[in-house]
Amino acid sequence: MPLLSTRKQEKKVKVTFANGLLFVEKEDGKQQAFPLEWFPKLLNSTDEERADWSQTDKGIRFNQLDTDVQL
């Protein structure tokens, strides 16, 4: 029988924005950078919209923007 948890899943990555880039730092310290031009919704978004993200099994989901970044 599977166990269900109501605790919020811990994020295993760090997401930051600087100089027109989206930076994703993984748990092992490796970092990936993505130009925001690839994601027009992120490029034109507010800090609040960018802060509302969750980690998925394939990458990152920016919830308010309905945008996924695959890692």
Side-chain angles (χ1 to χ4, degrees):
M1 179 170 159
L3 296 175
L4 300 175
S5 175
T6 57
R7 292 185 343 189
K8 189 172 182 176
Q9 186 178 29
E10 183 179 332
K11 295 178 181 176
K12 307 247 185 223
V13 297
K14 180 180 176 184
V15 174
T16 56
F17 296 86
N19 302 320
L21 296 170
L22 160 64
F23 294 96
V24 179
E25 185 175 332
K26 295 183 180 181
E27 193 174 25
D28 61 5
K30 292 182 182 178
Q31 191 176 71
Q32 289 181 278
F34 302 90
L36 290 178
E37 292 90 26
W38 293 0
F39 308 98
K41 287 183 180 181
L42 281 173
L43 180 64
N44 300 312
S45 64
T46 65
D47 289 340
E48 181 182 311
E49 290 170 325
R50 290 179 179 183
D52 182 18
W53 61 272
S54 55
Q55 188 172 350
T56 67
D57 58 340
K58 295 181 181 180
I60 298 170
R61 170 110 180 127
F62 290 91
N63 300 309
Q64 291 183 33
L65 300 171
D66 192 29
T67 300
D68 296 304
V69 176
Q70 292 189 2
L71 303 178

